[in-house]
Amino acid sequence: MRSLTCFRIFVACVIVVLLMFNDRLRSAEPPRVVAHRGASAYAPEHTLASYRLAMEQGADYVEQDLAVTRDGVLICLHDDTLDRTTDVEEVFPGRSTVDPATGRRQWLAADFTLAEIKQLDAGRWFAPQFAGERIPTWEEAVGAVGSRAGLYPELKSPQIYRSRNVDMTTIFVESLRRLGLASAPASRLIVQSFDETSLRDLARQLPGTHRVFLIEVRDGARWLSASGLRDITGFAAGIAPHKALLDGRAGIVQDAHRAGLTVTPYTFSSRTPSRFDDVSDEMRYYLGDLGVDALFTDNPDRFPR
Ligand code: G3P
Ligand code: CA
């Protein structure tokens, strides 16, 4: 009888230790896969084709980078400019400006109306079978994703709009209200940005939104310190660092978890060289060895489950 009691106490102690030291067990949440610009290894980024394929490949969330057109509509576009992923140079040859940083011609999305942007082909640059794909609006993306996956919009380059007296965050908040997403749970909507001001604005306007702060390599030292992580808890529930900031540094993931922040590194892609032979192995390392909660990938089908 006494030995049975001892055994029970031993089992209970083992469970307590596991719960204390294993973040995955503690949260009981399975790791999540965010489709980066859709299934962008296989279909043109930020097209409905790419979003649909991501969901077929089992994405938990589909990412949308957001930009604002000249007439104030949110569209899904990664670059500030239209020239890399559309035929804007052919359709609007006389509408370029000069990029002051490089001296090269550029076609800024913010200089075009939605009607103009809808004339552009956003698929042919990637592969001929995607010719005719269009740049979706944010609201079209929400409709296409429906309830099959969560939404993971990024407030991208807000400084461009501030310099034009356009408040991107307020436009976004109004859109969430129209779409019935203003108080959506984290399983439905997570908002990300590299811009602290935008996330703080969003927190003020819609405190219930789940917000994630993106951290690029050059900002790692500032934000991944103990005081930096503490500061982030004032305006976000999670961090999304460049994956290089975490490689070999499981302690940062643990520090973030102790601060109550989720960790979602970016970006895992079969198209980008890495020290791993295979993108699935790379994702497995970040999920298993480092203990991240989720990750952004161009290859949702290669996510280790
Ligand atoms: O938002 C996560 C990741 O997408 C950040 O990088 O440049 O692809 O938006 P980027
Ligand atoms: Ca992004």
Side-chain angles (χ1 to χ4, degrees), residues 47-53 55 62 64 76 136-151 179 188:
T47 58
L48 296 187
S50 183
Y51 296 164
R52 290 189 184 113
L53 184 58
M55 293 186 284
V62 180
Q64 300 83 28
C76 302
T137 65
W138 153 244
E139 299 200 5
E140 286 166 348
V142 173
V145 171
S147 57
R148 287 194 291 157
L151 300 154
L179 293 162
R188 178 93 180 97

Side-chain angles (χ1 to χ4, degrees), residues 36 63 65 78 154 156 192 214:
H36 180 246
E63 187 204 23
D65 291 308
H78 174 269
E154 178 183 343
K156 191 73 141 175
Q192 42 161 345
L214 293 160

Side-chain angles (χ1 to χ4, degrees), residues 3 12 23 48 55 76 117 132 144 193 199 235 238 241-242 279:
S3 63
D23 291 313
L48 296 187
M55 293 186 284
C76 302
I117 284 171
S193 187
L199 291 183
F235 60 90
H242 188 290
V279 70

